[in-house]
């Protein structure tokens, strides 16, 4: 009987993970919070749902929206007792973004985070070779360290002359 109980719990939690795929990043609506890799854990007990997330970086205004969206989505699906908490450590890195997420980001016209880059500082960031999401050229230059939002930087491709957002490493 214990085993059966466990199975029920796994199913309930898997259901929540599935629902969370419908919660999008307000800044990049093609990405779900699962693609972003910010959901750390999902726990259900009785009628309570506990979701733990790690902000893409502290002070990112999108996080408040994301927390609200998670709550609204779960309410919509009939869950009432919802606890959303944040884990600040370990800090989120772009490595947590799924391959699917990076692919979607590129298809959306935003250069995905450079997978080779393990850390970044202001100096490194300026020298970083960012690939153009349209023509794949590395011949790009930074226009502004802040793009359409603080989480992105604005770049220009010197080959196809298009400006594009780059999803910054934090
Ligand atoms: Zn280009």
């Amino acid at each position: 009987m214990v085993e059966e109980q466990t199975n029920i719990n796994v199913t309930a939690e898997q259901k929540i993970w599935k629902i969370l795929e419908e919660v999008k990043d307000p800044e990049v609506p093609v990405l779900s919070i699962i693609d972003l890799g910010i959901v750390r854990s999902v726990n259900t007990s009785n009628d309570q749902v506990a979701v733990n997330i790690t902000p893409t970086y502290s002070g990112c205004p999108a996080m408040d929206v994301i927390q609200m969206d998670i709550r609204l989505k779960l309410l919509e699906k009939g869950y009432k007792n919802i606890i959303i908490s944040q884990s600040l450590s370990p800090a989120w890195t772009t490595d947590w973004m799924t391959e699917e997420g990076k692919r979607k980001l590129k298809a959306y016209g935003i250069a995905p985070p450079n997978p080779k880059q393990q850390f970044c500082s202001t100096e490194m960031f300026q020298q970083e070779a960012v690939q153009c999401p349209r023509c794949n050229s590395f011949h790009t230059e930074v226009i502004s360290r802040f793009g359409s939002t603080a989480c992105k930087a604005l770049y220009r491709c010197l080959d196809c002359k298009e400006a594009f957002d780059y999803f910054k490493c934090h």
Side-chain angles (χ1 to χ4, degrees):
M1 284 306 112
V2 173
E3 201 175 293
E4 205 166 275
Q5 274 277 303
T6 311
N7 283 341
I8 289 165
N9 283 337
V10 166
T11 310
E13 280 159 17
Q14 280 173 341
K15 248 172 155 175
I16 306 290
W17 282 99
K18 201 80 198 146
I19 292 167
L20 294 178
E21 280 177 22
E22 295 175 33
V23 179
K24 304 299 177 190
D25 177 357
E27 294 184 348
V28 188
V30 290
L31 289 183
S32 74
I33 58 172
I34 303 296
D35 293 326
L36 274 174
I38 64 167
V39 180
R40 298 267 61 79
S41 66
V42 171
N43 286 294
T44 57
S45 59
N46 302 322
D47 65 337
Q48 190 179 79
V49 180
V51 179
N52 187 263
I53 58 173
T54 294
T56 51
Y57 76 99
S58 55
C60 185
M63 292 311 295
D64 293 337
V65 179
I66 288 174
Q67 271 190 239
M68 201 175 67
D69 286 349
I70 292 172
R71 189 173 294 278
L72 288 175
K73 182 59 76 180
L74 289 170
L75 283 170
E76 183 192 310
K77 302 287 180 181
Y79 298 92
K80 290 183 179 72
N81 191 349
I82 304 156
I83 294 174
I84 300 166
S85 56
Q86 289 192 6
S87 288
L88 299 177
S89 175
W92 179 87
T93 85
T94 47
D95 290 344
W96 293 6
M97 193 181 282
T98 63
E99 287 309 310
E100 173 73 358
K102 288 173 187 165
R103 196 190 55 73
K104 284 185 196 168
L105 205 56
K106 191 174 175 185
Y108 189 61
I110 297 175
N114 188 340
K116 289 184 208 82
Q117 188 143 359
Q118 295 302 315
F119 62 97
C120 65
S121 65
T122 313
E123 292 75 33
M124 277 193 69
F125 179 59
Q126 282 179 312
Q127 293 162 11
E128 194 180 346
V130 172
Q131 195 175 18
C132 171
R134 293 187 178 83
C135 71
N136 295 324
S137 166
F138 279 101
H139 198 203
T140 58
E141 64 175 10
V142 62
I143 301 171
S144 163
R145 292 222 208 117
F146 293 98
S148 54
T149 73
C151 302
K152 286 174 261 171
L154 190 62
Y155 271 75
R156 176 170 43 218
C157 176
L158 300 172
D159 289 327
C160 73
K161 313 288 182 210
E162 287 287 337
F164 62 90
D165 276 329
Y166 172 59
F167 200 94
K168 276 199 273 189
C169 52
H170 302 303

